[in-house]
Amino acid sequence: MRTSFRERARKSLTVVVTLLLVVSEFGFLHAVYSRGQGVREQERVVGRLVSAVSEVDGPRSVTLVDEALPRLASAGVAADELVPLRDAVTSLRAAPTDAQRLTATRSAAARLDRLLTDRSRTIDVQADLIWVALLVVVSLGWTVWFRRLVGRHRELQRQITEQQAAAAGEQRLAALVHNTSDLVTVLRSDTTVTYATASAQGVVGLRAEDLTGRTLLSIVAPEDAPLLARLLVTTAPDDDHPVRLRLRHADGRLLHVEGNLVNLLAHEAIEGYVLTLRDVTERVELEGQISYQALHDPLTGLSNRRLFHDRLTHSLQRRRATDDEVAVVLCDLDDFKDVNESAGHDAGDEVLVTVAERIRAVAGVGDTVARLGGDEFAVLVEGASADEAAALAERLADAIGEPIVVAGRQVVVGASVGLAVTGGASAGRPEPRRAPRPDPRPDARTAPRTDAGELTAADLLRNADVAMYLAKERGKGCVALYEPALHEQALQELQLRSDLARALEEDQLVVHFQPTIDLATGVVAGFEALVRWQHPTRGLLGPVHFIPTAERTGLIVPLGRWVLREACRAAATFQTPTRRVTISVNVAAAQLTSEGFGDEVVAALRDSGLPPSCLLLEITESMLLGDLELIRSRLEVLRRLDVRIAIDDFGTGFSSLAYLRRLPVDVVKVDKSFVDHVTDDDHDASLTRSIIAMSQSLNLATIAEGVEHLGQAEWLRATSCRFGQGFLWSRPVPLDQARALLAVAGPLRPADARDAVAVGAA
């Protein structure tokens, strides 16, 4: 209304001002015209008078002047301007014939004519100036006015354009709001919905008209109702706040929604809170699945190492306030690799799932059960005493040891169980044990303690790991408790493993050779390759110091491969056109059962140029207690290569004639424990004689180990033992000294061996 009144007033004022300007202009023009008309009339009268006076005589001139004077006065000529003409006519009237007076009268009339002419010119100039001034003023005025009109027109056009754009924007916004998939609502302070978009049907399953008029709290999850109420109170005017809620869908589903809440109570067109929500249920569920997968084992559904470590850390932190004990039970399946190899990985996965179910069933409700990787499981026990945790460990070992039916056949998979409790050493009595395998996880050794004397999660896991490997050394299915004394032993084992791995990389290992003597002739028939470690700080170490560690850590495979290649390379140099010298190489069980062992033997023979018949591979009798069929198949492959096979340490295990008949064996090595007493113990002599006789009956050669004096050598020769090996002839020596032993002509005697060794050393 006020805008319309101002607009009308402005228009009226414009009309009035325009009229005033026009009237004023016409007034000026009229005034100039009127003033010019009088002067021009005077000029005409005087002009005629001047013409008349100049042509008549004196009396006639007087008459003409007398007639003209009233007309000039009435025409507006000033009286003082007529005085000279009056005086001249008065003088002429007295003497009309006087030529001088007539001339004076004519001169006065002429002067008046010139005066009026000048005045007329002046008036014309003034009129021109006034015309020019009026033209300039009017032009400037109209220019300014026109510019103002153009400016107002442009402003009006801009306003119209803005209004059109705003209207179009509002239309687009209305269309977007109406068609958006997000739910847009306007709420009162009590959450009553005063407006809802049509998308309400797609989001919460309610039509917009059904949602309007009811409170939003009626469909908000009860746990989130206080959050929405608090947001309505705390959100400032014109401020917006992110919102995450759970809504109940019309079909009963629980939805996860997120959006923004804007306080527009002060906006006269809205007067409420604008709440915009979008359904993010799928995203939230996907995030939950990803989080679950990141913290759980996909095969068994148990917690993984990361989640277990996190919960163990929090348990240890809570322990500071409660002083409750925290225990970790670590289970490692025994011989699980055999299940995978014999029945396949699918069967192995089935075994793991079954074991996980058994562990979960035995563990307490509040205990955390995890699969740490491979066939290793762990249980976190809080608030239990050491005795209670030990009892749980025993129950776990028993439950896991129960037979499992997989792929139609029964499988027994035991578990070695290690237990570590925050209270320190267990109550169990310590027993002699070998060093356990170190923890392969890098943080198990170096993880910092939270406080001086406080165990970290890595510490407790490492302790349980140490105890678990102690259980493995005691036998399958055993349970062991951690003792602090084991820690230093584990670190020593770890250091030894690290040094041994470095020794393989840096060529710190060397091969020594112990001769095998033909007892009938006394000459060197071959050598046994024995590895030694030239340790940078501890000097030359025999195999007893590092082979057990290599077997436990898996380094025995690369170590055995290296020894095989070095022995073949050295043995190739022993051969001559007239003499074949054998080389014996010990083979570990892990080597023989590995898939590529046959290829490794072929590569060693090919690269060295050693004839296959000169290579004698020795396996221990204890290997035969494993998968006999697998071992037999591997040995047959080697025999087809023309490589010879020997049974080492024969007589110390459980071998029988049946084993020897089924296996492709060429040589039997009689263990030193029998040879030691063949000359002074009838029982050992009888056993040794039986082994030699049995071997001969199977066409197997025999080698007696550990021969240390001539009496033993004579007894063995008399018993038809083919070969002997021992300190009587030589200790294991480096390659140069072994070549010196080969160079001895005739039978090798102890004195000859000492001389040859001295020559080789020189």
Side-chain angles (χ1 to χ4, degrees):
M1 290 293 293
R2 288 178 292 182
T3 303
S4 178
F5 174 76
R6 288 177 181 175
E7 191 66 27
R8 289 198 299 271
R10 186 180 294 108
K11 292 179 180 178
S12 300
L13 180 61
T14 301
V15 172
V16 171
V17 171
T18 303
L19 291 175
L20 288 176
L21 287 174
V22 172
V23 170
S24 299
E25 184 177 354
F26 277 104
F28 276 115
L29 293 175
H30 179 71
V32 172
Y33 176 77
S34 298
R35 185 180 179 190
Q37 284 295 104
V39 174
R40 280 188 288 274
E41 180 63 27
Q42 293 171 6
E43 188 177 1
R44 283 195 300 272
V45 173
V46 173
R48 286 195 299 271
L49 176 63
V50 172
S51 298
V53 171
S54 62
E55 296 175 357
V56 299
D57 55 7
R60 184 63 178 163
S61 297
V62 172
T63 303
L64 293 173
V65 171
D66 287 339
E67 293 175 357
L69 286 176
R71 292 177 61 188
L72 291 173
S74 63
V77 178
D80 57 341
E81 294 175 344
L82 296 175
V83 170
L85 183 58
R86 289 179 187 277
D87 290 344
V89 170
T90 301
S91 176
L92 180 61
R93 189 178 292 120
T97 60
D98 188 355
Q100 185 177 0
R101 292 183 180 184
L102 181 59
T103 301
T105 300
R106 291 173 178 170
S107 298
R111 282 196 301 273
L112 181 59
D113 183 53
R114 288 194 298 272
L115 176 63
L116 292 177
T117 299
D118 293 339
R119 181 177 295 172
S120 176
R121 291 174 179 170
T122 301
I123 290 174
D124 288 340
V125 171
Q126 291 177 351
D128 291 339
L129 292 175
I130 290 173
W131 275 106
V132 171
L134 285 175
L135 181 61
V136 171
V137 170
V138 170
S139 299
L140 290 175
W142 279 110
T143 300
V144 173
W145 183 250
F146 182 75
R147 287 176 62 85
R148 290 192 62 188
L149 285 177
V150 171
R152 289 186 57 77
H153 175 73
R154 290 178 177 174
E155 178 64 21
L156 181 60
Q157 189 177 26
R158 184 186 63 79
Q159 292 177 357
I160 293 174
T161 302
E162 289 179 352
Q163 291 175 357
Q164 291 175 344
E170 290 176 356
Q171 291 176 355
R172 286 194 299 270
L173 179 60
L176 289 173
V177 170
H178 184 73
N179 295 287
T180 182
S181 60
D182 293 351
L183 172 59
V184 181
T185 60
V186 178
L187 310 178
R188 294 176 184 165
S189 298
D190 61 353
T191 75
T192 299
V193 180
T194 61
Y195 171 81
T197 55
S199 56
Q201 179 75 40
V203 177
V204 295
L206 296 173
R207 295 182 303 171
E209 51 268 28
D210 295 335
L211 185 59
T212 303
R214 64 187 293 184
T215 61
L216 191 65
L217 288 178
S218 63
I219 62 173
V220 173
E223 298 83 2
D224 293 343
L227 171 63
L228 179 59
R230 184 168 61 253
L231 288 176
L232 293 176
V233 173
T234 57
T235 303
D238 295 324
D239 193 11
D240 65 280
H241 198 285
V243 177
R244 294 197 69 172
L245 298 171
R246 286 169 293 176
L247 302 181
R248 185 66 62 182
H249 193 274
D251 61 8
R253 290 182 293 118
L254 192 64
L255 305 177
H256 294 268
V257 296
E258 68 176 19
N260 284 79
L261 178 69
V262 184
N263 184 346
L264 295 179
L265 287 171
H267 198 289
E268 61 182 9
I270 298 178
E271 297 181 345
Y273 294 89
V274 178
L275 179 62
T276 304
L277 298 174
R278 68 189 64 88
D279 186 0
V280 294
T281 304
E282 291 185 3
R283 192 192 75 193
V284 171
E285 291 177 351
L286 179 60
E287 290 174 350
Q289 292 174 4
I290 293 174
S291 176
Y292 182 87
Q293 292 172 0
L295 298 174
H296 292 79
D297 174 52
L299 177 64
T300 62
L302 300 178
S303 304
N304 62 10
R305 179 182 292 275
R306 178 180 176 186
L307 180 57
F308 186 85
H309 191 278
D310 182 70
R311 290 186 178 178
L312 178 55
T313 299
H314 285 85
S315 298
L316 293 175
Q317 291 173 348
R318 287 192 296 270
R319 178 178 178 266
R320 300 176 191 173
T322 63
D323 245 1
D324 290 338
E325 296 295 345
V326 177
V328 172
V329 182
L330 204 60
C331 307
D332 188 83
L333 303 186
D334 297 325
D335 300 327
F336 178 72
K337 180 181 177 182
D338 295 341
V339 177
N340 279 332
E341 292 180 350
S342 60
H345 288 280
D346 290 341
D349 290 345
E350 189 175 343
V351 169
L352 292 175
V353 171
T354 302
V355 169
E357 292 172 351
R358 292 180 179 182
I359 295 176
R360 191 186 286 113
V362 173
V365 176
D367 299 340
T368 298
V369 181
R371 181 188 176 202
L372 302 186
D375 58 350
E376 191 174 50
F377 297 85
V379 180
L380 169 61
V381 184
E382 297 185 66
S385 65
D387 291 339
E388 292 170 338
L392 173 63
E394 293 286 353
R395 293 197 301 273
L396 287 173
D398 293 340
I400 297 173
E402 292 293 326
I404 301 173
V405 177
V406 179
R409 72 172 190 172
Q410 195 176 72
V411 175
V412 177
V413 179
S416 298
V417 182
L419 171 64
V421 186
T422 52
S426 68
R429 295 186 299 274
E431 299 179 8
R433 60 185 66 88
R434 296 165 67 186
R437 187 183 74 178
D439 194 328
R441 298 181 296 276
D443 60 349
R445 308 185 311 275
T446 59
R449 295 177 181 271
T450 53
D451 291 310
E454 286 289 338
L455 284 174
T456 65
D459 292 332
L460 201 58
L461 272 171
R462 178 207 60 209
N463 294 347
D465 201 44
V466 169
M468 185 264 291
Y469 281 102
L470 171 63
K472 277 191 176 298
E473 292 180 358
R474 290 177 175 174
K476 297 178 182 179
C478 291
V479 177
L481 307 182
Y482 172 78
E483 298 176 12
L486 296 175
H487 187 195
E488 184 62 30
Q489 193 175 4
L491 291 180
Q492 292 176 359
E493 176 84 0
L494 177 64
Q495 185 63 48
L496 182 61
R497 175 188 178 183
S498 177
D499 290 347
L500 184 56
R502 188 180 303 109
L504 283 168
E505 296 174 358
E506 299 178 359
D507 294 330
Q508 296 178 8
L509 300 175
V510 295
V511 177
H512 283 194
F513 301 87
Q514 187 172 28
T516 300
I517 306 300
D518 187 332
L519 294 177
T521 63
V523 300
V524 176
F527 290 93
E528 181 179 0
L530 301 171
V531 65
R532 300 291 186 266
W533 181 3
Q534 189 64 52
H535 196 280
T537 58
R538 298 170 61 184
L540 189 66
L541 300 179
V544 69
H545 296 286
F546 58 90
I547 290 299
T549 298
E551 290 176 340
R552 285 192 298 270
T553 60
L555 290 174
I556 191 65
V557 174
L559 175 60
R561 185 185 308 119
W562 181 87
V563 172
L564 175 64
R565 297 182 71 88
E566 291 297 313
C568 289
R569 187 179 294 114
T573 66
F574 296 158
Q575 312 304 317
T576 67
T578 58
R579 186 177 185 182
R580 286 289 181 260
V581 180
T582 63
I583 185 72
S584 300
V585 180
N586 292 284
V587 177
Q591 285 181 272
L592 183 62
T593 56
S594 63
E595 290 293 337
F597 181 66
D599 296 335
E600 293 175 5
V601 173
V602 171
L605 293 171
R606 181 188 64 243
D607 296 343
S608 64
L610 180 69
S613 60
C614 294
L615 177 61
L616 179 65
L617 297 180
E618 298 184 9
I619 63 172
T620 60
E621 187 182 12
S622 59
M623 282 191 201
L624 305 180
L625 299 178
D627 191 337
L628 186 62
E629 290 302 317
L630 176 63
I631 293 174
R632 185 175 62 82
S633 64
R634 297 293 168 82
L635 294 180
E636 287 177 347
V637 171
L638 296 172
R639 280 292 299 275
R640 285 196 291 270
L641 298 174
D642 203 20
V643 174
R644 301 168 67 210
I645 308 298
I647 299 294
D648 195 12
D649 301 331
F650 191 84
T652 59
F654 304 93
S655 296
S656 66
L657 181 62
Y659 277 139
L660 293 179
R661 293 180 63 182
R662 293 176 58 188
L663 294 174
V665 177
D666 300 283
V667 178
V668 172
K669 297 189 73 172
V670 182
D671 188 70
K672 179 180 183 301
S673 60
F674 295 98
V675 176
D676 284 343
H677 304 287
V678 292
T679 59
D680 55 17
D681 188 305
D682 292 340
H683 182 266
D684 283 354
S686 177
L687 287 176
T688 305
R689 189 179 294 108
S690 298
I691 293 173
I692 296 172
M694 180 180 63
S695 300
Q696 290 175 344
S697 67
L698 296 173
N699 294 320
L700 303 178
T702 53
I703 301 176
E705 296 181 295
V707 180
E708 296 183 351
H709 54 78
L710 287 173
Q712 295 170 338
E714 292 297 333
W715 187 93
L716 291 168
R717 186 182 300 111
T719 319
S720 301
C721 181
R722 178 79 180 276
F723 301 100
Q725 182 181 343
F727 291 172
L728 172 64
W729 297 283
S730 174
R731 293 176 178 272
V733 294
L735 179 59
D736 291 343
Q737 297 177 15
R739 291 197 182 102
L741 292 177
L742 278 176
V744 174
L748 182 65
R749 296 173 297 178
D752 296 331
R754 288 192 294 271
D755 294 341
V757 168
V759 171

